[in-house]
Amino acid sequence: MSVFRSFGSTLSSSIVDMRDSVLSGIHSCPTPSRSKMMEYNQPLMWVVLILLAVGLVMVYSASVALPDSPRYANYRPGHFLVRHLVSLGIAVVCAAVAFRVPLDLWDRIAPKLFIFSLILLVLVLIPHIGKGVNGARRWIPLGVINFQPSELMKLAVVLYVANYTVRKQEFMNSFRRGFLPMAVAVAVVGGMLILEPDMGAFLVVAGIAAGILFVGGISGKIFGGLVLSGVGVFTLAITLSPWRRERIFAYLDPWREEYAMGKAYQLTHSLIAFGRGEWFGVGLGGSVEKLHYLPEAHTDFILAVIGEELGFVGVLAVIALFFWLVRCAFLIGRTALQLERTFSGLVAKGIGTWLGWQAFINMGVNLGLLPTKGLTLPLVSYGGSGILVNCVALAVLLRIDYENRVLMRGGKL
């Protein structure tokens, strides 16, 4: 009996010791830490900030000598830099607000935003409302900035086509019920843009719509017809417009005397700028072409100034940054689609298509690979409306990535 008592006492003592050991172990363990997954895409933020910083520096470099011209005689050397900084400030505030907006709300307001943008495109054509510059009527004066409705339309088209594709998913293989309504909407927008005229913006809008419809599952035959129709419309627009025909001929032979001093003047001086830059450039601020030889050096042809001052290496770095940005947008879109967030996925890929396509056109024009078009380089060129809408679009892209991360952690939106 005493043996049993001794064994029971020993067992009881062992259990108590084990309990104390476990409890002390629990108290000594570190508090569970949160997942190391970042709440937002920091590399994407850094790429955007680098492009904005490059744009700020190059806008100042390309515009600092403009007051020497009689056209800008009343401006100070830092005029365009200050205005660009103001545009950046407004863009950052608007982007911060846009990031707080859930994608569900963007989905609901997409048709209304598209109609609002279309109304602005009509207003810009009305005398005393729209502002004309160099024969083009594309801006609505708002005091602080001259707002360009075609820039807002690019974002509106991304959201609206994504919304339409989700709503009409079962009809995407139908020409009458799936493709035709969207084709009519894009044609109306295209008509307004051509009246401004702004062929470059029309090409971007058409590219955005085609890209989202393709990703959204439109029939291959219908998509092929869409591409052929686009080529036909572009060809018709050139055929019916004498000055557009001259631009095409000038693009094909820019060094011909009658073109070099006329329609191909910008292109030839852009090519001279790239040639002067060679591998490493002539140095920041050392461009000669920006000294009133290359028109619109701080807007449409800012890449030529980058090529002259920073050389082939600088241009290649800018191209690499845009490639990374577009690739990141498509990866975010793919993740959203894998999470069955179709609207968000299409919007992300639409933003990637938009920025990549517009950057490609601008770079192609600067390098003489494409006919001259009045398109800015996203995030880099001078232009309040472009910077504003680009930053808002990237804030929407960051929001999509943020919501993806919340869902992958097991959270709820």
Side-chain angles (χ1 to χ4, degrees):
M1 184 67 68
S2 62
V3 173
F4 284 110
R5 280 201 195 97
S6 176
F7 175 75
S9 174
T10 305
L11 180 62
S12 173
S13 174
S14 299
I15 291 173
V16 170
D17 291 343
M18 187 182 299
R19 181 198 64 186
D20 293 341
S21 174
V22 169
L23 289 175
S24 66
I26 290 174
H27 289 304
S28 65
C29 283
T31 343
S33 59
R34 294 185 62 183
S35 166
K36 291 184 179 179
M37 181 188 294
M38 292 181 290
E39 291 188 354
Y40 62 95
N41 197 320
Q42 290 186 13
L44 175 60
M45 281 285 294
W46 279 111
V47 168
V48 172
L49 290 174
I50 291 171
L51 284 171
L52 289 174
V54 169
L56 186 64
V57 172
M58 297 312 302
V59 163
Y60 179 61
S61 177
S63 64
V64 68
L66 286 179
D68 295 337
S69 166
R71 180 182 173 186
Y72 301 105
N74 295 327
Y75 292 176
R76 294 182 178 179
H79 173 82
F80 291 98
L81 173 65
V82 172
R83 289 183 65 87
H84 196 68
L85 279 169
V86 171
S87 299
L88 280 176
I90 296 172
V92 168
V93 172
C94 292
V97 173
F99 179 78
R100 306 293 299 176
V101 179
L103 263 294
D104 288 342
L105 181 56
W106 285 114
D107 192 9
R108 291 198 297 272
I109 68 173
K112 296 176 183 177
L113 182 62
F114 180 78
I115 293 172
F116 175 70
S117 303
L118 192 59
I119 292 171
L120 291 181
L121 286 181
V122 174
L123 289 177
V124 81
L125 297 173
I126 299 175
H128 308 298
I129 296 180
K131 179 181 178 181
V133 177
N134 296 330
R137 187 175 292 274
R138 302 176 185 174
W139 296 270
I140 296 177
L142 296 179
V144 180
I145 63 171
N146 293 322
F147 187 71
Q148 192 170 355
S150 60
E151 294 294 337
L152 179 62
M153 178 54 77
K154 294 170 187 175
L155 176 60
V157 165
V158 169
L159 297 170
Y160 178 67
V161 178
N163 170 274
Y164 178 87
T165 303
V166 173
R167 286 188 291 110
K168 301 288 185 178
Q169 190 65 51
E170 56 184 311
F171 304 118
M172 291 309 292
N173 289 325
S174 167
F175 177 82
R176 185 176 63 85
R177 302 184 67 179
F179 169 73
L180 191 58
M182 179 52 61
V184 171
V186 174
V188 171
V189 173
M192 295 295 102
L193 292 173
I194 289 175
L195 287 175
E196 291 185 2
D198 194 350
M199 179 63 78
F202 173 54
L203 288 175
V204 174
V205 166
I208 292 169
I212 296 178
L213 288 174
F214 178 76
V215 174
I218 193 173
S219 163
K221 292 182 179 179
I222 295 177
F223 183 77
L226 172 64
V227 173
L228 291 176
S229 300
V231 172
V233 170
F234 183 69
T235 305
L236 187 63
I238 293 173
T239 304
L240 297 178
S241 174
W243 65 273
R244 285 197 180 103
R245 285 202 306 272
E246 288 182 16
R247 273 193 172 186
I248 294 295
F249 293 141
Y251 151 73
L252 294 174
D253 189 8
W255 301 107
R256 189 172 172 179
E257 185 177 354
E258 61 182 286
Y259 295 142
M261 296 303 295
K263 293 294 182 182
Y265 182 81
Q266 280 182 303
L267 175 56
T268 53
H269 281 276
S270 176
L271 295 176
I272 290 171
F274 283 112
R276 290 192 74 249
E278 297 185 350
W279 285 99
F280 299 103
V282 296
L284 187 62
S287 169
V288 171
E289 286 300 317
K290 70 184 182 185
L291 303 177
H292 314 296
Y293 294 105
L294 178 61
E296 309 301 333
H298 59 305
T299 56
D300 302 347
F301 283 85
I302 197 166
L303 188 70
V305 180
I306 294 174
E308 186 177 2
E309 295 189 350
L310 305 181
F312 174 78
V313 173
V315 173
L316 191 62
V318 172
I319 293 173
L321 288 170
F322 274 104
F323 173 79
W324 196 95
L325 180 63
V326 172
R327 179 178 177 272
C328 185
F330 273 80
L331 289 176
I332 291 172
R334 185 179 69 178
T335 302
L337 292 174
Q338 289 171 342
L339 293 170
E340 298 183 352
R341 305 177 64 230
T342 308
F343 174 76
S344 298
L346 293 177
V347 169
K349 294 196 173 189
I351 292 171
T353 301
W354 161 19
L355 297 177
W357 180 229
Q358 181 167 332
F360 171 77
I361 294 175
N362 177 274
M363 292 175 182
V365 167
N366 276 252
L367 293 166
L369 302 175
L370 296 172
T372 306
K373 292 280 170 247
L375 274 179
T376 57
L377 186 61
L379 301 173
V380 178
S381 293
Y382 173 81
S385 303
I387 291 291
L388 171 62
V389 179
N390 290 161
C391 287
V392 169
L394 287 166
V396 174
L397 181 63
L398 281 168
R399 177 71 192 192
I400 295 170
D401 180 75
Y402 167 77
E403 293 185 359
N404 288 347
R405 291 165 187 257
V406 169
L407 291 174
M408 286 190 291
R409 283 197 186 99
K412 294 183 179 180
L413 298 176

